[in-house]
Amino acid sequence: MNEYMEIFMQSFLGTADWTWNSITFQVPWYTNYFWGLVVISLAVWGLEIAFPWRKSQGLIRKDFWLDGFYMFFNFFVFAIVISGVYSLLKKALSESGISMESLTLMNLSGLKMVWQLLIFFVILDFVQWFTHVLLHRYPLLWQFHKVHHSVAEMGFAAHLRYHWMENIFYKPLKTLGVMLLGGFEPEQAYIVHFTAITIGHLNHANIKLTYGPLKYLFNNPVMHLWHHAYHLPEGHTNGINYGISLSLWDYIFRTASIPNPEDGEIKLGFPGIEEFPQSFGKQFLHGFGGKARK
Ligand SMILES: [Zn+2]
Ligand SMILES: [Zn+2]
């Protein structure tokens, strides 16, 4: 086995192992992404059932199981395969002479943990907001992002329904964000990840929640429902409310818009959604057909 194959396999098997150990409770509970995702999902689902915004929406809404499958596919199955590819890329990067240190803008290691986590959270969120804007702005990227926007009824599980290519788009900018921090990922980064999953689940949940004045800081279900709106408000051709965890960036860059915060029944999707593939298999391959496919 040559060196590269070995690097790939090590990473692949390492991630597969870690995932299996998580499922079987062999990792510290606070780093258990598998059961963490399950617990957060059940909690937000419980809130949806107790306080539904759209009363007519079923508990098991349209595409519930498809979205549930996406959740685990994107989080685990895909992560295992791609971890091997990333370790190869890292190796290539270090061989080309680019070091983490050469890109460092900020060194966080001297700060208190709470500040480290906060800065890490804010920078990562901004990078993801920016990536999300790109997904809407470039037709080629939009073809992949349409999978996320093909949700017809919103519920928590829609959060992680997205094309596997999105993992690939988000990762380089996220890695760059981490590199600007000197390659630094706080030891307690799992707090940031669990916070982001919870906010993301809530953003897609069938709950009318805006967090009062904090809506200018945090993304919320009402704001994100409008991100999924079929009819965009005038003057916004590509999209609105690109926020991931924070809504702040949309207010700063004037991409925030909530035409009617009371209306939870707006039509979701995009022109052409009627012909969009409905099955996982077809969505998996969507976006590679060139311009012929809308
Ligand atoms: Zn979007
Ligand atoms: Zn969404």
Side-chain angles (χ1 to χ4, degrees):
M1 219 192 302
N2 71 34
E3 189 190 0
Y4 293 100
M5 194 62 196
E6 209 167 297
I7 291 172
F8 178 86
M9 284 314 286
Q10 248 175 22
S11 199
F12 178 92
L13 294 174
T15 312
D17 225 34
W18 174 259
T19 305
W20 178 247
N21 288 341
S22 301
I23 296 170
T24 53
F25 300 99
Q26 292 178 67
V27 300
W29 66 269
Y30 50 86
T31 63
N32 197 320
Y33 285 101
F34 183 86
W35 289 106
L37 183 64
V38 172
V39 168
I40 293 170
S41 298
L42 290 176
V44 177
W45 194 18
L47 284 176
E48 277 189 346
I49 294 169
F51 311 102
W53 185 6
R54 294 171 290 280
K55 307 254 181 329
S56 55
Q57 190 170 303
L59 291 188
I60 309 284
R61 63 178 173 81
K62 184 177 184 297
D63 288 349
F64 180 89
W65 297 113
L66 174 68
D67 294 355
F69 176 74
Y70 263 110
M71 197 147 84
F72 291 94
F73 177 81
N74 277 324
F75 236 64
F76 301 104
V77 180
F78 191 80
I80 291 169
V81 177
I82 209 70
S83 65
V85 178
Y86 285 134
S87 58
L88 283 182
L89 287 176
K90 248 190 209 159
K91 167 103 178 130
L93 203 66
S94 71
E95 279 179 357
S96 72
I98 300 173
S99 70
M100 288 276 190
E101 291 74 27
S102 62
L103 287 164
T104 306
L105 275 186
M106 236 185 281
N107 195 327
L108 301 186
S109 50
L111 293 175
K112 275 194 175 156
M113 186 49 79
V114 58
W115 287 110
Q116 294 184 7
L117 290 170
L118 212 63
I119 295 172
F120 182 72
F121 174 67
V122 171
I123 293 208
L124 234 54
D125 190 70
F126 175 73
V127 164
Q128 291 181 81
W129 173 85
F130 182 69
T131 312
H132 192 187
V133 172
L134 297 181
L135 291 178
H136 278 259
R137 196 144 296 181
Y138 292 100
L140 203 82
L141 303 183
W142 170 239
Q143 290 308 318
F144 297 113
H145 190 48
K146 268 181 173 174
V147 170
H148 182 64
H149 282 265
S150 67
V151 173
E153 282 185 336
M154 280 278 257
F156 75 93
H159 175 206
L160 298 171
R161 167 201 186 122
Y162 55 82
H163 198 286
W164 58 273
M165 280 291 281
E166 284 201 28
N167 293 302
I168 293 171
F169 299 138
Y170 275 100
K171 189 78 182 181
L173 281 165
K174 255 168 127 175
T175 307
L176 183 71
V178 172
M179 281 170 97
L180 294 178
L181 299 175
F184 172 84
E185 227 178 311
E187 216 174 287
Q188 276 107 327
Y190 56 85
I191 297 175
V192 170
H193 294 307
F194 281 127
T195 306
I197 294 171
T198 307
I199 296 176
H201 267 37
L202 284 169
N203 289 342
H204 293 84
N206 179 19
I207 313 170
K208 189 169 184 286
L209 197 64
T210 54
Y211 315 128
L214 288 178
K215 66 181 174 196
Y216 297 109
L217 188 59
F218 292 105
N219 197 2
N220 53 74
V222 174
M223 188 173 190
H224 196 68
L225 185 75
W226 281 94
H227 174 69
H228 283 260
Y230 185 101
H231 298 288
L232 291 171
E234 232 175 279
H236 297 275
T237 42
N238 296 313
I240 49 170
N241 309 345
Y242 300 105
I244 308 291
S245 294
L246 299 176
S247 59
L248 183 72
W249 316 118
D250 286 306
Y251 286 106
I252 292 175
F253 295 101
R254 302 191 176 280
T255 46
S257 176
I258 305 165
N260 181 2
E262 298 308 314
D263 190 358
E265 311 264 357
I266 57 169
K267 182 174 159 75
L268 306 181
F270 47 84
I273 190 174
E274 298 75 15
E275 290 94 53
F276 198 78
Q278 309 244 331
S279 70
F280 176 78
K282 283 190 177 152
Q283 291 180 357
F284 186 90
L285 296 171
H286 184 79
F288 297 107
K291 281 192 174 154
R293 231 186 286 169
K294 265 203 179 159

